[in-house]
Amino acid sequence: MSVTYNTKQIFNGRELLPSSLTLKPRVQVLDGDLISFFTLIMTDPDVPGPSDPYLREHLHWIVTDIPGTTNATFGNELVSYEMPRPNIGIHRFVFLLFKQNRRASVTVPDSRDRFCARQYAELNNLGLPVAAVYFNCQRETAARRRAS
């Protein structure tokens, strides 16, 4: 899986500013073939803050039925993209890619709040992720916005 915001490739631990995350990223599925389908989940496990994430996880995006070797625009956006808006501390934003057993087999979650990717994957028979990547993001001050 390859995740890119504008021209910024995501790798584990890369820090991005919220102002650069307003548009959904380009997510390329590098595995499978056109008869394999994948589900992409984006979550924030650090809600409301990383030192006490008692509201974990917050769901930011779900795209299902992505054909292998294509990108998320070819899938079904089950939950629309919500840009990251961390309030307290440095948050991790995680992209998880699962291989589906069959097309149109993934259900809409009840809520974005207190989402649990592990339970959701079990409920939808997605198994373990076939790929994962995360970036870090924190609330930006007006000075940081002007400097970037």
Side-chain angles (χ1 to χ4, degrees):
M1 171 175 61
S2 170
V3 181
T4 308
Y5 276 98
N6 299 316
T7 59
K8 296 177 181 170
Q9 178 78 30
I10 301 302
F11 53 82
N12 287 337
R14 179 163 196 179
E15 186 167 335
L16 296 174
L17 299 175
S19 58
S20 67
L21 307 171
T22 57
L23 300 176
K24 64 182 90 168
R26 178 177 173 81
V27 179
Q28 182 76 33
V29 176
L30 304 173
D31 194 15
D33 51 44
L34 292 175
I35 59 170
S36 301
F37 295 97
F38 295 84
T39 293
L40 172 72
I41 298 174
M42 178 186 175
T43 72
D44 175 356
D46 298 320
V47 177
S51 62
D52 186 17
Y54 64 91
L55 296 175
R56 77 169 52 154
E57 301 167 54
H58 183 77
L59 176 63
H60 282 268
W61 196 26
I62 295 182
V63 182
T64 65
D65 301 329
I66 306 167
T69 72
T70 68
N71 65 59
T73 62
F74 290 92
N76 174 32
E77 191 173 60
L78 211 58
V79 176
S80 63
Y81 176 77
E82 180 181 280
M83 72 173 278
R85 289 189 179 99
N87 285 326
I88 303 166
I90 299 171
H91 289 237
R92 295 164 295 161
F93 290 87
V94 181
F95 292 90
L96 301 167
L97 187 70
F98 297 89
K99 188 169 184 179
Q100 295 173 216
N101 292 327
R102 64 184 193 285
R103 191 171 189 188
S105 61
V106 179
T107 61
V108 177
D110 294 332
S111 173
R112 288 182 186 263
D113 297 320
R114 296 184 186 243
F115 178 80
C116 179
R118 181 177 292 137
Q119 288 177 353
Y120 185 77
E122 288 174 12
L123 177 69
N124 287 281
N125 298 309
L126 294 172
L128 296 174
V130 295
V133 68
Y134 77 95
F135 66 90
N136 294 325
C137 185
Q138 63 184 308
R139 184 179 185 168
E140 58 189 303
T141 63
R144 285 186 78 185
R145 276 193 299 271
R146 283 192 301 271
S148 61

Short mmCIF file of all heavy atoms in Angstrom, two decimals, residues 56-90:
data_model
loop_
_atom_site.label_atom_id
_atom_site.label_comp_id
_atom_site.label_asym_id
_atom_site.label_seq_id
_atom_site.Cartn_x
_atom_site.Cartn_y
_atom_site.Cartn_z
N ARG A 56 -10.65 6.24 22.33
CA ARG A 56 -10.12 5.58 21.12
C ARG A 56 -11.13 4.65 20.51
O ARG A 56 -11.95 4.11 21.23
CB ARG A 56 -8.82 4.87 21.39
CG ARG A 56 -8.97 3.54 22.11
CD ARG A 56 -7.72 2.74 22.14
NE ARG A 56 -6.62 3.52 22.64
CZ ARG A 56 -5.56 3.06 23.23
NH1 ARG A 56 -5.44 1.78 23.43
NH2 ARG A 56 -4.61 3.84 23.65
N GLU A 57 -11.10 4.42 19.27
CA GLU A 57 -10.47 5.10 18.16
C GLU A 57 -11.50 6.02 17.53
O GLU A 57 -12.68 5.80 17.70
CB GLU A 57 -10.06 4.09 17.08
CG GLU A 57 -9.10 3.00 17.52
CD GLU A 57 -9.00 1.87 16.48
OE1 GLU A 57 -8.71 2.11 15.29
OE2 GLU A 57 -9.21 0.74 16.90
N HIS A 58 -11.05 6.98 16.76
CA HIS A 58 -11.96 7.79 15.96
C HIS A 58 -11.77 7.41 14.50
O HIS A 58 -10.65 7.38 14.00
CB HIS A 58 -11.73 9.29 16.15
CG HIS A 58 -12.71 10.12 15.40
ND1 HIS A 58 -14.00 10.31 15.84
CD2 HIS A 58 -12.62 10.75 14.20
CE1 HIS A 58 -14.66 11.05 14.95
NE2 HIS A 58 -13.85 11.33 13.94
N LEU A 59 -12.87 7.10 13.84
CA LEU A 59 -12.84 6.66 12.44
C LEU A 59 -12.82 7.86 11.51
O LEU A 59 -13.66 8.75 11.61
CB LEU A 59 -14.06 5.80 12.15
CG LEU A 59 -14.25 5.33 10.72
CD1 LEU A 59 -13.09 4.42 10.30
CD2 LEU A 59 -15.58 4.59 10.59
N HIS A 60 -11.86 7.90 10.59
CA HIS A 60 -11.74 9.00 9.64
C HIS A 60 -12.16 8.64 8.22
O HIS A 60 -12.52 9.53 7.45
CB HIS A 60 -10.31 9.55 9.63
CG HIS A 60 -10.04 10.42 10.80
ND1 HIS A 60 -10.20 11.78 10.78
CD2 HIS A 60 -9.63 10.12 12.05
CE1 HIS A 60 -9.91 12.29 11.95
NE2 HIS A 60 -9.56 11.29 12.75
N TRP A 61 -12.11 7.34 7.87
CA TRP A 61 -12.40 7.00 6.48
C TRP A 61 -12.50 5.49 6.32
O TRP A 61 -11.73 4.75 6.92
CB TRP A 61 -11.25 7.52 5.63
CG TRP A 61 -11.45 7.64 4.16
CD1 TRP A 61 -12.61 7.82 3.47
CD2 TRP A 61 -10.40 7.64 3.17
NE1 TRP A 61 -12.35 7.93 2.12
CE2 TRP A 61 -11.01 7.82 1.91
CE3 TRP A 61 -9.02 7.49 3.22
CZ2 TRP A 61 -10.28 7.86 0.73
CZ3 TRP A 61 -8.30 7.54 2.05
CH2 TRP A 61 -8.93 7.72 0.81
N ILE A 62 -13.45 5.03 5.51
CA ILE A 62 -13.49 3.62 5.09
C ILE A 62 -13.84 3.57 3.60
O ILE A 62 -14.82 4.19 3.16
CB ILE A 62 -14.54 2.78 5.86
CG1 ILE A 62 -14.18 2.66 7.34
CG2 ILE A 62 -14.64 1.38 5.26
CD1 ILE A 62 -15.15 1.81 8.15
N VAL A 63 -13.02 2.85 2.87
CA VAL A 63 -13.29 2.58 1.46
C VAL A 63 -13.24 1.06 1.29
O VAL A 63 -12.28 0.42 1.71
CB VAL A 63 -12.26 3.25 0.53
CG1 VAL A 63 -12.60 2.99 -0.93
CG2 VAL A 63 -12.17 4.74 0.79
N THR A 64 -14.27 0.49 0.67
CA THR A 64 -14.34 -0.96 0.47
C THR A 64 -14.31 -1.28 -1.02
O THR A 64 -14.43 -0.39 -1.87
CB THR A 64 -15.63 -1.54 1.07
OG1 THR A 64 -16.75 -1.00 0.36
CG2 THR A 64 -15.75 -1.21 2.55
N ASP A 65 -14.19 -2.55 -1.31
CA ASP A 65 -14.27 -3.06 -2.68
C ASP A 65 -13.26 -2.39 -3.62
O ASP A 65 -13.56 -2.14 -4.79
CB ASP A 65 -15.69 -2.89 -3.25
CG ASP A 65 -16.73 -3.63 -2.41
OD1 ASP A 65 -16.38 -4.67 -1.83
OD2 ASP A 65 -17.87 -3.16 -2.33
N ILE A 66 -12.06 -2.12 -3.10
CA ILE A 66 -10.99 -1.55 -3.94
C ILE A 66 -10.35 -2.71 -4.70
O ILE A 66 -9.80 -3.62 -4.08
CB ILE A 66 -9.92 -0.84 -3.09
CG1 ILE A 66 -10.54 0.23 -2.17
CG2 ILE A 66 -8.85 -0.22 -4.00
CD1 ILE A 66 -9.58 0.74 -1.10
N PRO A 67 -10.41 -2.69 -6.03
CA PRO A 67 -9.76 -3.78 -6.78
C PRO A 67 -8.24 -3.75 -6.59
O PRO A 67 -7.64 -2.67 -6.51
CB PRO A 67 -10.13 -3.48 -8.24
CG PRO A 67 -11.29 -2.54 -8.17
CD PRO A 67 -11.11 -1.76 -6.90
N GLY A 68 -7.63 -4.91 -6.50
CA GLY A 68 -6.18 -4.99 -6.38
C GLY A 68 -5.50 -4.28 -7.52
O GLY A 68 -6.05 -4.19 -8.62
N THR A 69 -4.31 -3.75 -7.25
CA THR A 69 -3.46 -3.02 -8.20
C THR A 69 -4.06 -1.70 -8.67
O THR A 69 -3.56 -1.08 -9.60
CB THR A 69 -3.06 -3.87 -9.44
OG1 THR A 69 -4.20 -4.04 -10.29
CG2 THR A 69 -2.49 -5.22 -9.04
N THR A 70 -5.14 -1.21 -8.01
CA THR A 70 -5.72 0.09 -8.36
C THR A 70 -5.60 1.01 -7.15
O THR A 70 -4.83 0.73 -6.23
CB THR A 70 -7.20 -0.04 -8.79
OG1 THR A 70 -7.99 -0.40 -7.66
CG2 THR A 70 -7.38 -1.04 -9.91
N ASN A 71 -6.38 2.09 -7.11
CA ASN A 71 -6.35 2.97 -5.95
C ASN A 71 -7.74 3.14 -5.37
O ASN A 71 -8.73 2.66 -5.93
CB ASN A 71 -5.69 4.31 -6.30
CG ASN A 71 -6.48 5.11 -7.31
OD1 ASN A 71 -7.63 5.43 -7.08
ND2 ASN A 71 -5.86 5.41 -8.45
N ALA A 72 -7.82 3.83 -4.23
CA ALA A 72 -9.07 3.94 -3.47
C ALA A 72 -10.19 4.61 -4.26
O ALA A 72 -11.37 4.41 -3.94
CB ALA A 72 -8.82 4.67 -2.16
N THR A 73 -9.88 5.39 -5.28
CA THR A 73 -10.94 6.04 -6.06
C THR A 73 -11.79 5.01 -6.82
O THR A 73 -12.90 5.32 -7.23
CB THR A 73 -10.39 7.07 -7.06
OG1 THR A 73 -9.53 6.41 -7.99
CG2 THR A 73 -9.63 8.18 -6.36
N PHE A 74 -11.27 3.80 -6.98
CA PHE A 74 -12.01 2.74 -7.67
C PHE A 74 -12.89 1.94 -6.70
O PHE A 74 -13.62 1.04 -7.11
CB PHE A 74 -11.06 1.78 -8.39
CG PHE A 74 -10.41 2.41 -9.59
CD1 PHE A 74 -9.18 3.04 -9.47
CD2 PHE A 74 -11.02 2.37 -10.83
CE1 PHE A 74 -8.57 3.63 -10.56
CE2 PHE A 74 -10.41 2.95 -11.94
CZ PHE A 74 -9.19 3.60 -11.80
N GLY A 75 -12.82 2.26 -5.40
CA GLY A 75 -13.60 1.55 -4.40
C GLY A 75 -14.90 2.25 -4.06
O GLY A 75 -15.28 3.25 -4.66
N ASN A 76 -15.56 1.72 -3.05
CA ASN A 76 -16.83 2.24 -2.56
C ASN A 76 -16.56 2.96 -1.24
O ASN A 76 -16.20 2.33 -0.25
CB ASN A 76 -17.81 1.08 -2.35
CG ASN A 76 -19.10 1.52 -1.69
OD1 ASN A 76 -19.56 2.64 -1.87
ND2 ASN A 76 -19.67 0.63 -0.90
N GLU A 77 -16.74 4.29 -1.22
CA GLU A 77 -16.50 5.06 0.00
C GLU A 77 -17.66 4.84 0.96
O GLU A 77 -18.72 5.43 0.82
CB GLU A 77 -16.32 6.54 -0.34
CG GLU A 77 -15.80 7.35 0.83
CD GLU A 77 -15.45 8.77 0.45
OE1 GLU A 77 -16.35 9.51 0.00
OE2 GLU A 77 -14.29 9.15 0.62
N LEU A 78 -17.45 3.95 1.91
CA LEU A 78 -18.49 3.57 2.88
C LEU A 78 -18.67 4.65 3.94
O LEU A 78 -19.79 4.95 4.35
CB LEU A 78 -18.09 2.25 3.54
CG LEU A 78 -19.17 1.32 3.99
CD1 LEU A 78 -20.08 0.92 2.85
CD2 LEU A 78 -18.56 0.09 4.64
N VAL A 79 -17.55 5.24 4.39
CA VAL A 79 -17.56 6.36 5.34
C VAL A 79 -16.69 7.45 4.73
O VAL A 79 -15.52 7.21 4.42
CB VAL A 79 -17.01 5.93 6.73
CG1 VAL A 79 -16.95 7.13 7.67
CG2 VAL A 79 -17.87 4.83 7.32
N SER A 80 -17.24 8.63 4.54
CA SER A 80 -16.53 9.71 3.86
C SER A 80 -15.29 10.16 4.65
O SER A 80 -15.23 10.02 5.87
CB SER A 80 -17.45 10.90 3.61
OG SER A 80 -17.88 11.43 4.84
N TYR A 81 -14.33 10.69 3.92
CA TYR A 81 -13.07 11.16 4.50
C TYR A 81 -13.33 12.34 5.43
O TYR A 81 -14.04 13.29 5.07
CB TYR A 81 -12.10 11.57 3.38
CG TYR A 81 -10.81 12.16 3.89
CD1 TYR A 81 -9.82 11.33 4.40
CD2 TYR A 81 -10.57 13.52 3.86
CE1 TYR A 81 -8.62 11.85 4.87
CE2 TYR A 81 -9.37 14.05 4.30
CZ TYR A 81 -8.40 13.22 4.82
OH TYR A 81 -7.22 13.75 5.27
N GLU A 82 -12.75 12.28 6.61
CA GLU A 82 -12.78 13.38 7.57
C GLU A 82 -11.34 13.75 7.88
O GLU A 82 -10.57 12.91 8.33
CB GLU A 82 -13.50 12.92 8.84
CG GLU A 82 -13.60 13.99 9.91
CD GLU A 82 -14.29 13.45 11.15
OE1 GLU A 82 -15.53 13.38 11.15
OE2 GLU A 82 -13.58 13.06 12.11
N MET A 83 -10.98 15.01 7.61
CA MET A 83 -9.59 15.41 7.81
C MET A 83 -9.19 15.35 9.29
O MET A 83 -10.03 15.57 10.17
CB MET A 83 -9.33 16.81 7.25
CG MET A 83 -9.95 17.94 8.04
SD MET A 83 -9.45 19.57 7.47
CE MET A 83 -7.88 19.75 8.27
N PRO A 84 -7.94 15.05 9.56
CA PRO A 84 -7.45 15.03 10.95
C PRO A 84 -7.51 16.41 11.60
O PRO A 84 -7.15 17.41 10.97
CB PRO A 84 -6.00 14.57 10.80
CG PRO A 84 -6.00 13.79 9.52
CD PRO A 84 -6.95 14.51 8.63
N ARG A 85 -7.98 16.44 12.85
CA ARG A 85 -8.03 17.67 13.64
C ARG A 85 -7.64 17.37 15.09
O ARG A 85 -8.48 17.43 15.99
CB ARG A 85 -9.44 18.26 13.61
CG ARG A 85 -9.85 18.84 12.30
CD ARG A 85 -11.18 19.58 12.45
NE ARG A 85 -11.59 20.17 11.19
CZ ARG A 85 -12.46 19.64 10.36
NH1 ARG A 85 -13.04 18.49 10.66
NH2 ARG A 85 -12.78 20.23 9.24
N PRO A 86 -6.39 17.01 15.32
CA PRO A 86 -5.99 16.68 16.69
C PRO A 86 -6.03 17.91 17.60
O PRO A 86 -5.67 19.00 17.18
CB PRO A 86 -4.56 16.17 16.52
CG PRO A 86 -4.08 16.80 15.25
CD PRO A 86 -5.28 16.95 14.38
N ASN A 87 -6.50 17.72 18.83
CA ASN A 87 -6.58 18.83 19.79
C ASN A 87 -5.43 18.83 20.78
O ASN A 87 -4.87 19.88 21.07
CB ASN A 87 -7.90 18.76 20.57
CG ASN A 87 -9.06 19.20 19.73
OD1 ASN A 87 -8.93 20.07 18.89
ND2 ASN A 87 -10.21 18.59 19.96
N ILE A 88 -5.10 17.67 21.32
CA ILE A 88 -4.12 17.58 22.41
C ILE A 88 -3.01 16.64 21.99
O ILE A 88 -3.26 15.47 21.66
CB ILE A 88 -4.77 17.04 23.69
CG1 ILE A 88 -5.95 17.91 24.12
CG2 ILE A 88 -3.75 16.92 24.81
CD1 ILE A 88 -6.83 17.25 25.17
N GLY A 89 -1.77 17.10 22.00
CA GLY A 89 -0.63 16.23 21.77
C GLY A 89 -0.47 15.77 20.33
O GLY A 89 -1.17 16.21 19.42
N ILE A 90 0.47 14.85 20.14
CA ILE A 90 0.77 14.29 18.82
C ILE A 90 -0.07 13.03 18.63
O ILE A 90 0.05 12.09 19.40
CB ILE A 90 2.27 13.98 18.69
CG1 ILE A 90 3.09 15.25 18.85
CG2 ILE A 90 2.56 13.31 17.35
CD1 ILE A 90 4.59 15.02 18.95
#
